[in-house]
Amino acid sequence: MAKKARQRISYVLENAKSSEGGHRLGVNGLAVDTDNGILYSGGRDGIVCAWDLDLDLRRPSTDTHDSADKTRSRSKFRAQAHPHTHWINDITLAQNNTALVSASSDLTVKVWRPHSEEDCTRTVAIGEHADYVKCVATPPASINANWVASGGLDRKICLWDLNGAGKTLEVDVKGEEILEKGSVYALAVSRDIMASGGPEKTIRLYDPRTGDKVSKLVGHLDNIRSILIDDSGDIILSASADKTIKMWSVKGGRCMYTFTMHDESIWSLFSEDPSLGIFYSSDRSGLVAKTDVRGSMEDLDNGLSLAVAQEHCGVSKVVAAGGHVWTATNRSSVNRWGDIDTDTDACLPEPFRHQRAASAASNKPRQATVTGTQATSNKEIPSESILRISNTAVFPARGVVDAEPSNLNDSLTRRGSEVVVEQPDPEVKPIHQTPEETIEGQFGLLKHKMLNDRRRVLTLDTAGDVLLWDLLACKPVQSFGKQHLEDVEALVNTREAVAPWCSVDLSSGNLTVVLEPFNCFDAEIYADELKLDEPVEFREDQRISLGRWILRYLFSNLIDEEIKRDERYRQKLNEEVSRNQAASRANAPTSIDIPPSNVSNWDKPDQLATPRANGSQLHQGTPGLAIGLATPAPGAALPGVPEEVVSSPLSPTEKGNTADKDDYFAGGSAVGPGAPATESSEMKTSTDNGNEKGKDKASDTAKSPGSTFGKKFRISFSSKKLGRSSSQATQDKPVVVDEKAEESESSSTNEKEVDDSFWGVIQKIRNDYDKQLADAPEKLIETKVTPSLPSETPVLKLPPGTKIIIQEETSGGSANVYQGTVENVGKDADIIEQKAPMWLGDVLLQNLVPFKEPVKISFVLHPMGGLVALSPADGNNRLNANRMLRVKKILAYVAERIEEVPEEPQPNALPPEKYLELYCNDQLLDPLMSLATIRTHVWKSGNDVVLYYKANGRKEIIPPKPASSIIPADTPGAPSPMGAPTAASESTTSTTTAVT
């Protein structure tokens, strides 16, 4: 079966101080339902909101509303849904305003039915692009179409069935010269034509019924950002980043007029007029303009354009209805402004009113000039608020405010073809300085900083507040108020180095943690560093994988559900086993002959060995941390030195008890009295690997030092081993090879194929059950669903509403294949089984993680204060070890090499870290500090870490008997303690506070 694209797991941490209702980031889309008085907004946080406006939007657009009514009406939050995990770029209403369609950068097109009686928060994906979806458009309501069109950066226009029937049409929009310039940024649909625009600067026209090309309109000089089509399908308005709006004739195939009232890139157009005689526009500077060209089609220079409002930043969307205008910006709030009545000239300044009355073009369906009494009831529009509609327009003439009356009349009567002397334009002053109402949003996250422990994150929100988050508890743990993020970071950060295991994304305004399969199991922490609510008994130096830990409890309810399903499946099989056992008992013999034993020395208890379980129980010990000799090349590892993986991928059956039994650093000492751990383990490795290295290994073992430390560390000094690969000489790493070899030998030719998904893990488990039933019909089947235990992953109580998202990589980014919550993953087991990746099933159901080579760090140990130097027999004094190795383990290594090991263990003996000290760059190292932390924060270099050990005088160190591997410090040729701390620095450093 073909492998799936790479999948990742994400979870979203909710802000405790946020409440439902409102956006956390900027708003990109607006749509208004005039029949029900509802405003819809779509934001960069992936949320769509519905607002009750408490306004009568069916009245004509005029600014003569009672001011008390404007103040009295307040918008109220109605409902919201969270359909997307990335920016919403556009929204539109469909099916008589009962459905809201959204287009998002998460590559999907979704529909929300806010009036649904079943579930008013449910959203359904009706389409998906291969890249960001930038725009969505619906055909006129009069044709009762059941589809919606969307365009995106994948250079496709797709028509989607609103009832979920999928794609009904696809149009490939390719750039003629550069394919990438075919991206669709603007889209509009009429009864029989569909228009798109983008970076190619060309408007392309298509037949929405067949997808055939109709024509193209060329004239813009930059990206086309918005398009409108009139009801007849003949007039098109297009707005561009070239600061112009063009009016096109489809039948004539030409540009009829170019509007230049804006001085910045134009981002949005809106019109409710069937003939586009009135339209609204907004630009990057925040200017919102209303343009009225009704009755002026023959001479558009006589049209009227007004500066309605000025936002604080660029307006990404503008809509209008019932005498009001709403604007969306990069802030989470939405502003409502009063509209301007352009049906009459009563509010215009006298010179303009006179000119428009005298103009033949003013004989349009507009109300007659009102009487003076009625005109004074409305505030006069300032001259500075009237925009020059184009470069060829006569009025407002440049400098008209300061002109004399005679000059003004001349300028107003001058024909547009005559040369006009350019004068500086007066500063534009919008009619409305403040909005009528602001629909407030919430505070979203803008910036973050991952701390050194990689378990906590600092964030800065739009209000300027700094929050500290716990990525494992899935909640904020402390608020620092309005401060600089860098100042708080210096206050709460720690000095430690943890491998990267996750990434943080703030694109939705929330804190989203992303787990990738290639590194989410890399980071580990020591269990004794945790602060848990309930005490848990851990082994010495036990480490916990952060990725495994959080996944275990994000999907805790799913694991419980899978255990129940596994029990039901095994119950059916065990019923058959019970029948087989009953049939076997019915045919059982009446007597049993016991053959004589041929076992010798059965009466000697010291010769007996306890049978060990063959992988039937779950036991996953913490991998050990052995110190090995390093080759002269930097970073190379000495083959033959057993070294487990930081996050061991081996199954419980593969690892058994070897970590506790054999490894000095794992803290275990349960070694049988009959055979040394080193010998037995290496012989087992040689046999399992099927190679003929046994003799070499035996000879190497014989050459190892006879000290207790030598046996515990399993370090050998034969130079022959330098040429071997680590897989031939280690204990745990070759097990991966063993597993593959065993599978190749024992797997049958007709082994069942499984899906490359979470379900595939369940299939493998059930195939094993079926195989066991066939091989041993009378043996009860025990579960093979073995999730991690609390001793390996301590219990986490996560907020039940924490969102969980499973995403899959696509050519244009990533697409969601599942979205749920911690509380509901158990109920969604069927979906997750089909959609989730196989590696997640391995982790959750069998506690297995992908194999990965451990990261090692090379270092050199030098003596100080007259202690003997360490030097192996082959003259190589470079060592290497796992990056998680602690200082106290290095000191234990030193102690067993520089002092006599007592024959009998002393119960009250001081541990090495109490009477030995380790220094790096003149700094005393804390016994709990890891090699990774030393290299990152103390050594601060990529070369071998140079460490110095010395005694602190709390114990007399008795050197061991002379041996070839121990060289006195004053011996000629012995390593010189260059760079060691001076006496003054020693006394200073020794009083330094230990770093945790």
Side-chain angles (χ1 to χ4, degrees):
M1 186 173 182
K3 283 187 173 293
K4 287 187 174 181
R6 191 174 75 184
Q7 293 179 306
R8 62 177 65 95
I9 311 296
S10 303
Y11 60 99
V12 183
L13 281 60
E14 291 292 341
N15 194 341
K17 69 178 182 180
S18 66
S19 58
E20 186 178 45
H23 296 282
R24 293 183 177 89
L25 293 179
V27 181
N28 285 342
L30 293 175
V32 62
D33 178 1
T34 56
D35 295 331
N36 299 299
I38 301 174
L39 177 72
Y40 295 95
S41 58
R44 299 179 181 181
D45 52 5
I47 293 175
V48 286
C49 295
W51 308 89
D52 276 323
L53 297 176
D54 191 25
L55 295 169
D56 181 9
L57 301 181
R58 287 170 292 192
R59 65 197 304 176
S61 298
T62 175
D63 67 339
T64 57
H65 298 301
D66 184 13
S67 60
D69 179 59
K70 293 180 182 179
T71 307
R72 189 168 55 247
S73 62
R74 301 295 299 175
S75 301
K76 298 178 182 177
F77 173 74
R78 177 185 179 94
Q80 79 174 27
H82 197 162
H84 300 286
T85 57
H86 212 302
W87 285 20
I88 293 176
N89 296 312
D90 197 11
I91 61 174
T92 187
L93 285 165
Q95 293 182 325
N96 295 320
N97 297 338
T98 61
L100 183 76
V101 183
S102 55
S104 170
S105 292
D106 67 6
L107 317 186
T108 62
V109 179
K110 293 190 176 182
V111 61
W112 176 39
R113 302 185 185 277
H115 303 287
S116 172
E117 297 180 357
E118 298 179 1
D119 185 1
C120 63
T121 62
R122 180 171 177 263
T123 60
V124 178
I126 59 173
E128 181 176 330
H129 283 254
D131 208 332
Y132 290 2
V133 191
K134 296 295 292 183
C135 49
V136 64
T138 49
S142 58
I143 66 174
N144 295 321
N146 197 36
W147 53 267
V148 65
S150 64
L153 302 188
D154 59 353
R155 304 181 294 280
K156 298 286 195 306
I157 299 174
C158 299
L159 272 55
W160 310 99
D161 184 84
L162 285 168
N163 295 325
K167 186 188 303 181
T168 60
L169 183 68
E170 178 180 303
V171 179
D172 191 356
V173 184
K174 293 182 180 179
E176 291 183 352
E177 298 181 359
I178 303 176
L179 293 179
E180 290 71 17
K181 296 222 169 179
S183 299
V184 181
Y185 279 76
L187 187 65
V189 182
S190 69
R191 180 182 299 272
D192 52 9
I193 200 168
M194 181 165 58
S196 71
E200 201 178 15
K201 314 167 193 174
T202 300
I203 300 173
R204 296 187 176 275
L205 306 181
Y206 301 92
D207 187 335
R209 294 162 293 190
T210 63
D212 295 337
K213 293 182 180 179
V214 176
S215 64
K216 64 179 181 180
L217 304 172
V218 181
H220 277 295
L221 303 178
D222 208 335
N223 189 11
I224 298 172
R225 301 294 299 267
S226 186
I227 295 177
L228 298 176
I229 305 179
D230 74 342
D231 283 1
S232 67
D234 184 44
I235 301 297
I236 290 180
L237 281 178
S238 61
S240 169
D242 64 8
K243 309 176 187 179
T244 68
I245 299 171
K246 290 183 180 292
M247 179 176 285
W248 308 83
S249 169
V250 175
K251 293 180 180 178
R254 63 182 181 88
C255 177
M256 299 169 57
Y257 195 78
T258 299
F259 299 90
T260 59
M261 72 282 286
H262 289 275
D263 293 328
E264 291 287 347
S265 170
I266 304 168
W267 287 358
S268 176
L269 291 174
F270 177 82
S271 178
E272 284 187 312
D273 190 338
S275 63
L276 304 183
I278 295 178
F279 62 89
Y280 302 80
S281 56
S282 63
D283 64 25
R284 185 172 58 185
S285 69
L287 176 66
V288 178
K290 179 179 181 179
T291 304
D292 187 347
V293 294
R294 291 174 297 174
S296 304
M297 290 299 182
E298 294 181 359
D299 190 358
L300 292 173
D301 282 346
N302 288 311
L304 178 65
S305 185
L306 303 175
V308 177
Q310 177 70 51
E311 276 282 11
H312 53 273
C313 54
V315 178
S316 55
K317 191 70 174 180
V318 58
V319 295
H324 305 276
V325 179
W326 289 268
T327 54
T329 66
N330 61 8
R331 296 190 179 180
S332 58
S333 57
V334 177
N335 285 331
R336 186 188 81 198
W337 310 81
D339 202 350
I340 306 300
D341 180 18
T342 58
D343 285 343
T344 69
D345 295 339
C347 298
L348 294 176
E350 176 62 29
F352 299 105
R353 193 164 61 245
H354 173 73
Q355 163 64 13
R356 287 172 67 82
S359 174
S362 64
N363 297 327
K364 54 186 176 182
R366 196 188 271 121
Q367 294 179 7
T369 303
V370 293
T371 61
T373 304
Q374 187 175 356
T376 56
S377 63
N378 292 326
K379 184 179 178 181
E380 184 177 279
I381 297 174
S383 301
E384 296 87 348
S385 300
I386 303 176
L387 302 173
R388 195 172 185 210
I389 200 169
S390 78
N391 294 329
T392 59
V394 175
F395 85 80
R398 298 179 185 270
V400 68
V401 177
D402 300 326
E404 294 294 331
S406 59
N407 295 335
L408 175 62
N409 292 333
D410 293 341
S411 64
L412 292 178
T413 56
R414 187 190 302 116
R415 297 184 58 82
S417 58
E418 297 180 18
V419 177
V420 179
V421 178
E422 294 289 339
Q423 298 182 26
D425 285 333
E427 182 182 355
V428 174
K429 294 182 180 179
I431 297 173
H432 297 300
Q433 303 297 325
T434 58
E436 292 178 347
E437 181 196 11
T438 298
I439 303 175
E440 295 291 348
Q442 298 186 29
F443 300 128
L445 304 180
L446 293 176
K447 188 178 180 182
H448 79 279
K449 175 64 179 179
M450 179 82 73
L451 300 182
N452 289 339
D453 59 13
R454 297 195 178 273
R455 303 191 298 275
R456 298 175 302 156
V457 171
L458 283 173
T459 60
L460 178 70
D461 64 18
T462 51
D465 292 335
V466 177
L467 279 177
L468 179 65
W469 299 77
D470 188 325
L471 300 186
L472 297 173
C474 297
K475 62 182 180 182
V477 293
Q478 189 175 355
S479 175
F480 294 91
K482 291 177 171 58
Q483 297 189 44
H484 291 292
L485 193 66
E486 293 74 15
D487 295 341
V488 180
E489 178 190 353
L491 183 66
V492 301
N493 215 350
T494 56
R495 192 165 75 154
E496 54 186 305
V498 178
W501 66 282
C502 68
S503 59
V504 172
D505 180 27
L506 303 182
S507 61
S508 65
N510 290 317
L511 184 61
T512 301
V513 184
V514 183
L515 304 178
E516 299 275 8
F518 61 83
N519 73 339
C520 70
F521 304 108
D522 287 359
E524 285 193 327
I525 57 172
Y526 281 94
D528 56 18
E529 297 176 358
L530 299 177
K531 297 178 181 179
L532 303 175
D533 296 334
E534 301 177 2
V536 179
E537 186 174 346
F538 297 109
R539 297 182 303 281
E540 182 186 359
D541 291 331
Q542 179 175 337
R543 304 192 305 280
I544 295 175
S545 166
L546 298 182
R548 189 203 311 255
W549 191 10
I550 189 64
L551 286 172
R552 170 65 177 84
Y553 294 101
L554 285 174
F555 293 94
S556 179
N557 290 341
L558 174 65
I559 294 174
D560 294 340
E561 176 63 24
E562 293 297 346
I563 290 175
K564 294 177 183 177
R565 296 186 178 192
D566 181 73
E567 288 177 353
R568 290 195 294 267
Y569 186 84
R570 288 186 298 106
Q571 183 179 1
K572 295 179 181 178
L573 298 181
N574 285 332
E575 289 175 359
E576 184 177 347
V577 172
S578 299
R579 289 193 295 269
N580 294 337
Q581 290 176 340
S584 177
R585 284 194 297 269
N587 300 324
T590 57
S591 63
I592 301 176
D593 295 330
I594 301 178
S597 173
N598 58 358
V599 178
S600 60
N601 299 327
W602 62 272
D603 56 340
K604 299 179 181 179
D606 59 340
Q607 300 294 325
L608 297 179
T610 303
R612 296 186 181 273
N614 188 20
S616 60
Q617 63 180 2
L618 174 67
H619 181 84
Q620 191 141 359
T622 298
L625 296 172
I627 296 179
L629 294 178
T631 61
L638 175 69
V641 180
E643 174 69 36
E644 282 80 6
V645 186
V646 177
S647 292
S648 176
L650 306 182
S651 67
T653 60
E654 292 165 338
K655 293 195 296 185
N657 295 331
T658 57
D660 290 336
K661 179 177 69 176
D662 300 333
D663 203 308
Y664 177 85
F665 290 117
S669 58
V671 181
T678 305
E679 181 178 350
S680 62
S681 63
E682 292 198 353
M683 289 300 292
K684 178 179 182 299
T685 304
S686 176
T687 304
D688 290 347
N689 282 338
N691 56 37
E692 298 179 357
K693 303 283 185 179
K695 295 181 181 180
D696 292 339
K697 296 196 175 197
S699 62
D700 291 339
T701 306
K703 295 178 184 179
S704 299
S707 66
T708 305
F709 183 86
K711 292 178 181 179
K712 290 179 178 179
F713 280 81
R714 298 169 292 172
I715 297 181
S716 56
F717 304 96
S718 172
S719 59
K720 293 180 182 179
K721 282 191 175 183
L722 295 175
R724 288 189 197 160
S725 64
S726 57
S727 62
Q728 293 172 324
T730 59
Q731 172 190 351
D732 290 337
K733 289 179 186 175
V735 180
V736 178
V737 180
D738 295 345
E739 184 181 17
K740 295 179 181 178
E742 290 171 3
E743 287 178 357
S744 62
E745 293 173 3
S746 61
S747 59
S748 60
T749 55
N750 59 350
E751 186 175 353
K752 295 181 180 178
E753 186 178 351
V754 298
D755 295 342
D756 183 26
S757 64
F758 192 102
W759 173 244
V761 178
I762 300 174
Q763 287 178 312
K764 287 192 292 186
I765 293 174
R766 294 184 176 180
N767 290 344
D768 289 343
Y769 291 159
D770 296 339
K771 186 176 184 300
Q772 179 182 331
L773 181 61
D775 295 343
E778 299 178 11
K779 182 180 179 181
L780 289 175
I781 297 174
E782 297 181 0
T783 183
K784 292 192 175 183
V785 177
T786 53
S788 61
L789 302 177
S791 60
E792 300 171 273
T793 51
V795 176
L796 293 173
K797 297 178 181 178
L798 305 182
T802 302
K803 293 183 179 65
I804 299 175
I805 303 165
I806 301 177
Q807 294 177 312
E808 185 174 273
E809 282 191 351
T810 66
S811 59
S814 60
N816 294 354
V817 296
Y818 169 77
Q819 184 172 335
T821 62
V822 167
E823 185 177 24
N824 295 328
V825 287
K827 300 176 184 177
D828 298 338
D830 291 335
I831 301 174
I832 296 176
E833 286 177 356
Q834 301 300 323
K835 300 294 186 181
M838 179 177 283
W839 65 265
L840 181 64
D842 286 332
V843 173
L844 299 182
L845 302 184
Q846 297 195 300
N847 200 19
L848 303 177
V849 298
F851 173 77
K852 195 171 185 180
E853 288 287 345
V855 178
K856 296 184 180 181
I857 294 177
S858 297
F859 60 98
V860 182
L861 287 170
H862 291 310
M864 284 172 49
L867 295 182
V868 294
L870 305 180
S871 179
D874 60 1
N876 178 24
N877 65 345
R878 294 180 69 249
L879 301 171
N880 67 3
N882 192 300
R883 68 192 306 274
M884 292 294 291
L885 182 72
R886 279 175 161 176
V887 166
K888 68 178 185 177
K889 291 301 182 183
I890 301 177
L891 293 176
Y893 173 84
V894 172
E896 291 201 2
R897 302 281 289 168
I898 67 171
E899 65 177 330
E900 189 70 35
V901 179
E903 296 181 0
E904 296 293 334
Q906 300 177 2
N908 297 324
L910 286 176
E913 63 267 22
K914 295 296 184 181
Y915 61 89
L916 291 176
E917 296 174 348
L918 201 64
Y919 290 85
C920 179
N921 276 348
D922 296 348
Q923 297 185 40
L924 175 64
L925 305 179
D926 186 90
L928 299 181
M929 190 178 289
S930 68
L931 270 177
T933 303
I934 295 171
R935 186 170 194 165
T936 303
H937 298 287
V938 183
W939 183 241
K940 299 180 181 178
S941 173
N943 301 324
D944 292 349
V945 181
V946 179
L947 303 174
Y948 293 88
Y949 57 90
K950 67 179 290 260
N952 59 14
R954 296 187 61 183
K955 177 185 175 181
E956 181 182 0
I957 298 177
I958 302 175
K961 296 177 182 180
S964 60
S965 61
I966 300 177
I967 305 173
D970 55 355
T971 302
S976 173
M978 284 186 67
T982 61
S985 64
E986 288 178 28
S987 60
T988 304
T989 310
S990 60
T991 60
T992 304
T993 304
V995 180
T996 58

